[in-house]
Amino acid sequence: MSYSPYFNPDMETLSRLEIEALQLKRLKDTLEHCFNGSAFYKKRLMEAGATPDKINSLDDLRRIPFTTKQDLRDTYPFGIASVPLSKCTRLHSSSGTTGNPTVILHTARDLEQWANAVARCLWMVGCRPEDVFQNTSGYGMFTGGLGFQYGAEKLGMLTVPAAAGNTLRQLKFFTDFGTTVVHAIPSYAARLYEVMCERGIDPRRDTKLKILAIGAEPHSEDTRKRIEDMLGVKAYNSFGMSEMCGPGVAFECKEQNGMHIWEDYYIVEIVDPDTLEPVPDGETGELVLTTINREAMPLLRYRTRDLTRIIPGSCPCGREHKRLDRMKGRSDDMIILKGVNIFPIQIETILMQFKELASDYLITIETRENNDAMTIDVELSDIFIDDMSALQRLEKEITRQLHDEILITPKVRFVPKGSLPKSEGKAVRVKDLRKTF
Ligand code: ADP
Ligand code: ZN
C-alpha cells in the first residue's frame, strides 16, 4: 500500500514564512489564554509590561520573562494552570528528588495534540499501520510510556505496551508478535542485545525489528551506530520532556542529522545560559521553549536547561521545521573538575569509538588527598584480549584521547561485561562522591 510521506501534510510542508505566521498567531492566542486563565502569568506579564497587546511580532517574545523549573516547584501542584481543574483529564509528575516534584496538567485536547505529535514523528521515520510497535518504557508518570502508547495507536499500529524491564518477556514478545518498531532508551537497547546474545537470539534472523526510537537520555553518534549494528535496525533520536508533554517534541527524520522540532507546537530559542541573550543559529546554548498549542498549562519561554544548538541550513527531507542537534546534556549534568567543565557525553563519545569496549561505563568523581579525581569504569566488549600489554596499550590510548578532550587525566579501569549496575530507567553515568548533602 502506498502512503503519503507525511502524517500531517498541512503542518509538515509549511514554508518558513508560513511557520512564522502561524507561530505569531498561536503565540498571541496563547498569551491571551494565559493572561485570562492563569493568575501566575497575569501577574508575571503585567509586571514585565508584556501584556498580550504588547506582543505583536515574534521578536517581541523576548519581552516575556522566562519560566523556570523553580516556578513550577514554587507553584506546585496546579499554580501555573490556565484552565480550571475540571477541564483537565490527566496529569504527569516528575520524580522530584530535590524538593517538590513538578506537575504538568493536560486537557483532552492537549492529549490529542500530543498523540498527533508522536504519531507524526513515528510516521516520519517510516512507521505505518502494518507495523507492530513495542514500548519498553515505564508506564505511569514517566511520559515515555503513555506518550508513545497514544502516539503509536493514533498512527494505527498494533501496539504492545510491554512496559519497562523483564527483558526475557520483551524478547518473547519480539518473536511471538513480530514486533517491527521498538521504543527504548539507549542504555536499555544495549541491554536487550546483551540478553539476546545470552539466549542465542540473532535479531536479524529471529526478529522482524527494523525501527528503533531511542531517546530520553544523551547518547553519542557512535552509541547510535553500535545499537543499529547490534539490533539490525535504524535508530532515530527522540527528544522530549515532561514539561513539554513528553516525547514528540523533536525527532530525527530519515536523514538522521538533527531532530526536527515541531514549530507549530513550540517556539524555539537558544540562549546563552549566563547572559540569557540569544545565540546565533549554529551555536550551542540553552534550549528555551514556548508552547503555542496547549490549553491546560502553556509554558512561556521555559528554560529547559538542556544544551544544544540549531543545525543551520535546510534538511534534504524538505521539512522546514528547525533541527536540533544532539543534546549535549543538561546544564546540571555538567561536572566541574579542577575548574574544567566536562559533560559526560564528551567521555562517552571517546569511549564508544573503541570496539574493545562495551556500552556501559560509570564515571566516579571523588576527593583523593585533597584533590578531585575521576575514575572511569568501563565494560570490555566480547573482543577477546588475552595479552596484558595489549590491554595496557588500550588503556593508555583511551586515557590519552580522554585527556585531549577533557583536559584532565582520568583513571580508566576495565571491568568485565555486565558487571556495572544496570538501571531500569535512565542510566546513571556519574557518581559524584564529593557532594555532601
Ligand atoms: P526527568 O526530568 O525526570 O529526566 P523527563 O522525561 O521529563 O524526566 O526528562 C526530560 C529530559 O531528558 C530532557 O530535559 C533531557 O535532558 C533528557 N532527554 C530527553 N530526550 C533526550 C534525547 N533524545 N537526548 C538527550 N537527552 C534527552
Ligand atoms: Zn529532515
Side-chain angles (χ1 to χ4, degrees):
M1 176 149 186
S2 86
Y3 290 106
S4 155
Y6 305 108
F7 182 75
N8 184 335
D10 290 348
M11 290 297 139
E12 287 175 76
T13 60
L14 293 176
S15 67
R16 280 308 313 162
L17 276 177
E18 289 166 331
I19 289 175
E20 283 165 20
L22 179 67
Q23 285 189 318
L24 181 58
K25 181 182 177 308
R26 290 192 172 176
L27 173 64
K28 286 170 77 68
D29 291 348
T30 298
L31 277 177
E32 283 287 345
H33 177 64
C34 293
F35 194 79
N36 296 324
S38 160
F40 169 87
Y41 273 129
K42 181 165 202 159
K43 183 160 174 283
R44 269 279 162 97
L45 295 173
M46 299 247 294
E47 279 169 4
T51 45
D53 54 307
K54 301 267 172 45
I55 308 297
N56 294 307
S57 71
L58 287 180
D59 283 341
D60 288 342
L61 181 68
R62 291 183 55 199
R63 305 174 68 155
I64 300 172
F66 293 99
T67 306
T68 62
K69 191 152 193 132
Q70 194 56 43
D71 290 326
L72 295 179
R73 293 201 170 117
D74 292 346
T75 57
Y76 176 85
F78 306 135
I80 294 189
S82 292
V83 300
L85 277 189
S86 58
K87 290 222 167 128
C88 297
T89 52
R90 196 197 303 161
L91 66 76
H92 280 276
S93 165
S94 74
S95 50
T97 35
T98 52
N100 267 341
T102 55
V103 166
I104 300 295
L105 289 163
H106 303 276
T107 63
R109 180 184 182 279
D110 291 336
L111 295 176
E112 176 77 11
Q113 290 302 323
W114 179 14
N116 281 329
V118 174
R120 192 193 289 182
C121 295
L122 291 170
W123 189 278
M124 176 166 68
V125 297
C127 300
R128 296 294 180 264
E130 292 73 25
D131 281 303
V132 179
F133 175 88
Q134 185 166 328
N135 192 3
T136 69
S137 272
Y139 280 62
M141 288 299 185
F142 179 55
T143 55
L146 291 175
F148 267 101
Q149 179 65 31
Y150 284 107
E153 283 179 12
K154 172 72 69 181
L155 192 153
M157 290 185 281
L158 171 61
T159 59
V160 184
N166 203 337
T167 306
L168 287 180
R169 198 178 60 146
Q170 304 278 2
L171 302 185
K172 183 167 168 53
F173 290 168
F174 286 171
T175 45
D176 292 0
F177 303 148
T179 302
T180 54
V181 185
V182 178
H183 169 239
I185 57 177
S187 43
Y188 194 60
R191 176 81 192 134
L192 283 168
Y193 180 68
E194 239 173 62
V195 179
M196 283 186 189
C197 292
E198 284 164 23
R199 299 278 148 168
I201 298 173
D202 173 350
R204 288 179 177 77
R205 184 193 62 206
D206 304 322
T207 77
K208 294 186 177 155
L209 300 180
K210 58 176 191 190
I211 295 172
L212 176 72
I214 40 167
E217 54 186 19
H219 56 289
S220 66
E221 187 58 38
D222 279 293
T223 301
R224 180 236 297 277
K225 290 209 186 90
R226 274 173 178 237
I227 292 172
E228 288 189 327
D229 285 349
M230 288 172 182
L231 295 175
V233 295
K234 280 274 174 205
Y236 297 97
N237 194 358
S238 154
F239 173 77
M241 78 184 68
S242 314
E243 296 93 315
M244 297 292 131
C245 281
V249 177
F251 211 89
E252 275 181 337
C253 65
K254 286 190 172 170
E255 300 294 324
Q256 293 184 306
N257 180 22
M259 300 175 282
H260 287 285
I261 174 151
W262 300 122
E263 292 185 85
D264 50 324
Y265 285 74
Y266 306 99
I267 299 180
V268 192
E269 296 171 87
I270 307 280
V271 303
D272 179 314
D274 297 321
T275 64
L276 301 180
E277 290 299 315
V279 302
D281 270 14
E283 280 183 27
T284 299
E286 180 176 341
L287 176 68
V288 171
L289 295 176
T290 299
T291 68
I292 50 171
N293 192 17
R294 267 227 325 246
E295 239 174 19
M297 199 168 153
L299 294 175
L300 307 176
R301 302 194 82 201
Y302 182 71
R303 289 189 59 184
T304 66
R305 299 183 298 171
D306 284 314
L307 300 171
T308 184
R309 65 183 195 114
I310 288 177
I311 298 182
S314 53
C315 184
C317 82
R319 291 176 184 81
E320 296 202 15
H321 296 257
K322 287 181 181 162
R323 285 170 300 161
L324 302 181
D325 204 351
R326 282 184 181 287
M327 298 292 139
K328 202 169 161 194
R330 289 193 200 186
S331 44
D332 28 350
D333 289 338
M334 193 170 76
I335 305 165
I336 304 179
L337 199 87
K338 297 183 181 165
V340 182
N341 299 344
I342 302 163
F343 285 95
I345 195 73
Q346 290 175 278
I347 294 172
E348 177 175 318
T349 303
I350 303 281
L351 296 179
M352 291 308 121
Q353 285 165 14
F354 289 88
K355 298 272 169 292
E356 297 89 342
L357 304 180
S359 311
D360 265 330
Y361 64 96
L362 178 67
I363 304 165
T364 307
I365 320 277
E366 59 201 325
T367 312
R368 255 190 255 131
E369 292 158 8
N370 291 325
N371 258 323
D372 287 348
M374 177 188 282
T375 307
I376 303 173
D377 290 303
V378 57
E379 292 187 0
L380 285 170
S381 71
D382 293 328
I383 298 177
F384 186 63
I385 311 172
D386 56 353
D387 159 8
M388 276 313 280
S389 67
L391 266 184
Q392 279 163 359
R393 276 199 305 278
L394 179 66
E395 183 201 311
K396 232 171 137 183
E397 179 56 19
I398 294 171
T399 310
R400 188 188 67 75
Q401 290 200 22
L402 285 167
H403 178 269
D404 283 353
E405 174 66 28
I406 60 177
L407 308 176
I408 62 141
T409 308
K411 177 160 182 49
V412 175
R413 287 196 303 215
F414 297 131
V415 299
K417 195 165 173 193
S419 62
L420 289 174
K422 312 282 175 240
S423 72
E424 264 194 12
K426 300 188 186 197
V428 179
R429 300 292 192 199
V430 182
K431 242 175 36 189
D432 195 341
L433 304 176
R434 295 173 305 179
K435 285 183 187 151
T436 43
F437 291 104

